[in-house]
Amino acid sequence: MSTTSIPEPADTPMAPSLAAWAAMSEAQRQAVLATLEPMPQHEALPPESDAHIDAWMDAADALGNWFRAKRRRAYIGRGITVYYPERVRFAPDLFVVLDAEPGQRRTWVVNREGRTLDFVLEVHAHGDKKKDTDRNVARYAELGIPEYVIYDAERRTITGYRLAPGARTYTPVLSQLGRWQSAVLGLSLGVRDGRLRFFDELHVIPFERELNEELEKALRETERRAEAEAERAAAEAERAAAEAERAAAEAERA
């Protein structure tokens, strides 16, 4: 597999080396960060289709629910620009940095955050497939990103790569029984009902809308039970009133 470095355009901003960053004052660092802007539209290609957008948004949704349920900190980047020291910037569809503070960011600058990416997901629908299958495979391996997954939204297939310790080229990792196991996330990826899903052992990680639907269903069931209880109590009251009337009538006749 090719390990050729990705060309670094001379006219684009780039994060300094870690040594240069360490030697800077705080004011100098802030001045550098001000130049590390999100990629412009012509450089960061727009989403390819609704299938492209839906796949990475669903993935971010499910992973967010998973980390919140586990009470584990993790930052999930969705299409934001990433700056590694002295490397050309890039913007994955989705990436995860474990044990990092969640919260909104305009960019992920490794110098500032002190953390590199742990997992990257790229979704392919109708665009330049070589970007994902060739150039990004070389780029992400060279940067030392432990896992890289490509989801083909057209064919509904998953292709995954993993770095061996100390390696700078990826080893392809095959799916097992239709699932691709992520050692980084502790989850598996698969396709169910035409959508990319994450699984914890045999259980699918729900989307936010599915959690909301379950909550609405539970609320409706609670309301139904409350209405049924109210109707039962009203019927009991009617029966008690009728019994009282009958008792009064018997007393009069007596």
Side-chain angles (χ1 to χ4, degrees), residues 1 118-120 137 140-142 144-150 158-176 179-189:
M1 186 175 297
D118 292 309
F119 175 91
V120 169
V137 169
Y140 296 156
E142 187 178 351
I145 297 172
E147 287 183 346
Y148 171 41
V149 172
I150 305 167
I158 297 169
T159 305
Y161 301 90
R162 186 173 297 139
L163 277 183
R168 278 297 181 266
T169 57
Y170 278 127
T171 299
V173 179
L174 299 178
S175 301
Q176 299 291 330
R179 302 278 177 83
W180 192 89
Q181 184 66 42
S182 169
V184 169
L185 302 177
L187 298 170
S188 60
L189 292 79

Side-chain angles (χ1 to χ4, degrees), residues 103-174:
Q104 292 189 344
R105 291 168 172 82
R106 296 180 71 241
T107 58
W108 183 273
V109 182
V110 170
N111 305 59
R112 175 185 61 202
E113 305 286 350
R115 298 296 302 276
T116 55
L117 312 190
D118 292 309
F119 175 91
V120 169
L121 169 70
E122 295 282 12
V123 178
H124 173 75
H126 303 287
D128 180 8
K129 193 169 186 178
K130 284 190 175 182
K131 174 182 74 69
D132 295 328
T133 59
D134 294 344
R135 295 195 293 274
N136 282 343
V137 169
R139 181 204 301 271
Y140 296 156
E142 187 178 351
L143 293 175
I145 297 172
E147 287 183 346
Y148 171 41
V149 172
I150 305 167
Y151 173 59
D152 190 323
E154 260 194 313
R155 295 178 175 81
R156 297 174 182 172
T157 58
I158 297 169
T159 305
Y161 301 90
R162 186 173 297 139
L163 277 183
R168 278 297 181 266
T169 57
Y170 278 127
T171 299
V173 179
L174 299 178

Side-chain angles (χ1 to χ4, degrees), residues 182-250:
S182 169
V184 169
L185 302 177
L187 298 170
S188 60
L189 292 79
V191 179
R192 175 181 287 185
D193 298 328
R195 288 185 176 272
L196 176 66
R197 303 302 301 253
F198 290 83
F199 299 84
D200 172 17
E201 295 179 352
L202 299 177
H203 304 100
V204 67
I205 307 303
F207 300 138
E208 190 68 28
R209 62 178 177 274
E210 292 173 329
L211 292 176
N212 290 336
E213 288 170 0
E214 287 297 320
L215 178 60
E216 289 175 4
K217 187 186 296 184
L219 290 174
R220 286 195 299 269
E221 180 62 19
T222 300
E223 290 173 356
R224 188 193 65 78
R225 290 179 180 177
E227 290 173 357
E229 181 63 24
E231 289 175 0
R232 187 192 64 77
E236 287 293 332
E238 287 182 8
R239 284 196 292 272
E243 185 63 29
E245 288 180 5
R246 284 196 295 273
E250 288 294 330

Side-chain angles (χ1 to χ4, degrees), residues 54-120:
D54 289 347
W56 62 258
M57 287 187 66
D58 282 347
D61 188 7
L63 287 175
N65 288 333
W66 164 257
F67 288 119
R68 282 191 295 272
K70 293 297 179 181
R71 297 184 179 180
R72 182 173 183 181
R73 294 183 310 152
Y75 177 74
I76 303 171
R78 296 165 292 180
I80 74 167
T81 304
V82 176
Y83 287 91
Y84 270 66
E86 300 184 288
R87 291 292 186 271
V88 64
R89 60 189 175 182
F90 60 100
D93 288 329
L94 179 143
F95 67 85
V96 177
V97 182
L98 299 175
D99 302 316
E101 284 296 333
Q104 292 189 344
R105 291 168 172 82
R106 296 180 71 241
T107 58
W108 183 273
V109 182
V110 170
N111 305 59
R112 175 185 61 202
E113 305 286 350
R115 298 296 302 276
T116 55
L117 312 190
D118 292 309
F119 175 91
V120 169

